[in-house]
Amino acid sequence: MNILLKIKKLFNKIFKFELVEVDDLVNYIFTAESLPEPLDIERENELVLRYQNNKDNSAKSELIEHNLRLVMYIAKKFENVKLDIQDLVSVGTIGLIKAVHSYKLDKNIKLATYASRCIENEILMYLRKANKSIKDLSLDDTLVNDEEGNNLTLSEVIPDEKKAYDEIELQDQKSYLLQAIDNLNEREKLIMCMRYGLNGYDEQTQKEVADSMNISQSYISRLEKKILHKLKHDMYKNM
């Protein structure tokens, strides 16, 4: 597996978002009479700095709420693929949350532009997985027209998996994650490298790691949860 995809897998596990948060946002999208208008650039930058520097959750919430229109707009581009629009919005909302978590002003692009990439990539990956398990979903399904009025099929908008990940987001995640792993003690670092195939190790199961370290699988499981929590805390400080 490509190292960047391994990083993405571990990053997503560390920042596993609570389904309650996503469910509440999706329910709000579908029940609100109107969604909040986009923020003006000054207010948006102020909130980004507050969240970036102080992890102000109220700033994060406001940034998410005022970009929910973007989730609905992008999800509707894919509503002809025989999947529930609410599922697409749920997946897109996860992409938006990830975008707000990782966005920084020095990216030199607008939050909406960055979030659009994250939302669309999240939906595209969901569709790629769905296509493997849902028989009536066809790559020839027609989506909405493009900007020039041409019909687009699902196969034309689902890119190669490697290309689907946003390069900016991935490089940031790699930097934060490897820095946090480097701060672990040697045993913790070894466990993470063996479990997730980093630093030249093959990806191994908890049982395989436990056997190689002469300890029980249940103990490895407890250690892994503790290490993931430590990594999350360390990364939050640096993001």
Side-chain angles (χ1 to χ4, degrees), residues 36-217:
E37 295 287 339
L39 297 163
D40 62 61
I41 192 63
E42 290 81 7
R43 177 61 176 170
E44 182 176 279
N45 288 348
E46 175 193 340
L47 293 171
V48 168
L49 286 173
R50 275 171 48 191
Y51 183 62
Q52 183 178 315
N53 296 332
N54 304 312
K55 290 297 171 284
D56 185 331
N57 284 326
S58 65
K60 180 192 78 170
S61 296
E62 190 170 340
L63 287 167
I64 291 171
E65 288 171 10
H66 285 270
N67 281 282
L68 289 174
R69 286 172 178 260
L70 198 55
V71 174
M72 180 61 82
Y73 172 77
I74 294 173
K76 282 184 174 180
K77 290 169 58 179
F78 300 92
E79 62 183 348
N80 290 338
V81 297
K82 300 180 182 139
L83 290 175
D84 193 296
I85 184 65
Q86 191 158 331
D87 290 340
L88 297 176
V89 169
S90 296
V91 174
T93 301
I94 293 173
L96 173 60
I97 294 172
K98 289 182 180 180
V100 171
H101 270 286
S102 58
Y103 178 75
K104 297 173 73 173
L105 290 178
D106 60 11
K107 290 184 184 295
N108 295 320
I109 57 174
K110 294 180 179 179
L111 173 59
T113 303
Y114 179 71
S116 294
R117 294 178 184 176
C118 296
I119 294 166
E120 190 163 277
N121 284 350
E122 204 73 29
I123 291 175
L124 288 172
M125 290 300 97
Y126 173 73
L127 292 177
R128 181 177 287 278
K129 292 176 183 177
N131 185 52
K132 295 177 181 178
S133 58
I134 300 178
K135 292 181 180 179
D136 63 352
L137 177 63
S138 169
L139 290 178
D140 294 324
D141 283 333
T142 300
L143 304 178
V144 294
N145 294 340
D146 64 13
E147 294 177 357
E148 298 178 356
N150 302 310
N151 287 332
L152 294 174
T153 63
L154 184 58
S155 62
E156 291 173 308
V157 297
I158 294 185
D160 190 325
E161 187 166 358
K162 184 170 74 171
K163 293 181 180 178
Y165 291 120
D166 184 85
E167 186 66 23
I168 297 174
E169 182 188 12
L170 268 177
Q171 291 299 336
D172 280 351
Q173 291 175 356
K174 179 180 178 181
S175 175
Y176 293 131
L177 182 54
L178 294 183
Q179 180 181 345
I181 289 175
D182 196 50
N183 291 333
L184 298 172
N185 63 44
E186 289 306 312
R187 185 173 73 162
E188 292 170 337
K189 194 181 302 183
L190 178 61
I191 290 172
M192 285 294 99
C193 289
M194 293 172 72
R195 279 286 289 124
Y196 296 94
L198 304 175
N199 290 345
Y201 285 90
D202 291 330
E203 188 172 337
Q204 300 177 40
T205 65
Q206 286 184 347
K207 185 178 187 311
E208 289 171 332
V209 175
D211 288 345
S212 69
M213 299 183 73
N214 262 338
I215 53 181
S216 69
Q217 182 179 344

